[in-house]
Amino acid sequence: TVFGITRHSFDFVNAEENQDNTLLSNQTTYNLRTICLQVPIVVGCHIINEGKYQMSLFTGPKTKFVFTAHSKQEFKHFKHENLEEILKKRCYYWETGLGVKIGHVFFDFTYDWGVTKASEYIISNTDNKKFRSYRRDNIFSFSVGMIF
């Protein structure tokens, strides 16, 4: 199991261009910070296992439990005010990765495909409008560590 703080940052760029062919400076951004518990169930196999060198592939399902009471959100430059994303409390992913171990040092490269949506909807608390959200998290991560 993995317990961690996840930070997401989304930039929505205004696609209008000016005469110089550069993007306008009015950029819409969304920052999200969550605390979650991730439970992966992965199966792997060594493709290299010689002496102090190991390389392995792994894959399997992962469940992420989001503690929404501890999430922080920030919307900037959106058309509506007081926006809040209602997050799903449980999301499912398919994880696949590559692990490399050289002596006591290991490197893990993983990619998580979002199988389910990460949010229910986005609501404007000012005028009580709800907006659909089709956001799925697809996450690439890199880990490095030492085994004692």
Side-chain angles (χ1 to χ4, degrees):
T1 60
V2 178
F3 180 78
I5 297 172
T6 306
R7 182 180 175 93
H8 304 277
S9 182
F10 305 95
D11 294 328
F12 304 95
V13 179
N14 187 345
E16 294 181 36
E17 297 181 4
N18 61 16
Q19 303 242 332
D20 298 329
N21 219 16
T22 59
L23 294 174
L24 297 175
S25 62
N26 187 9
Q27 190 174 14
T28 304
T29 60
Y30 169 53
N31 292 308
L32 170 66
R33 180 176 175 250
T34 60
I35 296 177
C36 59
L37 175 67
Q38 300 177 26
V39 182
I41 303 172
V42 294
V43 176
C45 65
H46 290 293
I47 52 178
I48 297 175
N49 191 6
E50 296 182 14
K52 64 179 185 174
Y53 301 104
Q54 294 178 347
M55 182 182 287
S56 58
L57 295 172
F58 54 90
T59 189
K62 177 169 38 173
T63 303
K64 180 168 91 171
F65 300 94
V66 179
F67 302 108
T68 56
H70 301 287
S71 66
K72 293 183 182 177
Q73 303 175 18
E74 180 183 42
F75 291 87
K76 289 183 181 176
H77 308 294
F78 276 81
K79 185 177 178 181
H80 295 273
E81 298 294 323
N82 286 333
L83 292 174
E84 178 184 5
E85 183 178 26
I86 307 302
L87 301 170
K88 292 213 176 219
K89 296 188 185 331
R90 184 174 45 231
C91 300
Y92 298 99
Y93 300 88
W94 190 265
E95 180 176 276
T96 188
L98 172 76
V100 177
K101 183 179 166 209
I102 303 170
H104 294 287
V105 180
F106 70 88
F107 305 91
D108 276 344
F109 303 89
T110 60
Y111 192 81
D112 298 340
W113 282 276
V115 177
T116 58
K117 292 191 309 183
S119 69
E120 299 281 346
Y121 53 86
I122 297 173
I123 188 167
S124 171
N125 291 321
T126 305
D127 50 11
N128 208 24
K129 285 189 176 183
K130 287 184 182 179
F131 304 94
R132 285 189 215 161
S133 175
Y134 297 102
R135 183 172 67 79
R136 295 176 194 265
D137 291 339
N138 294 311
I139 303 166
F140 175 75
S141 61
F142 168 73
S143 303
V144 64
M146 272 188 106
I147 298 174
F148 296 100

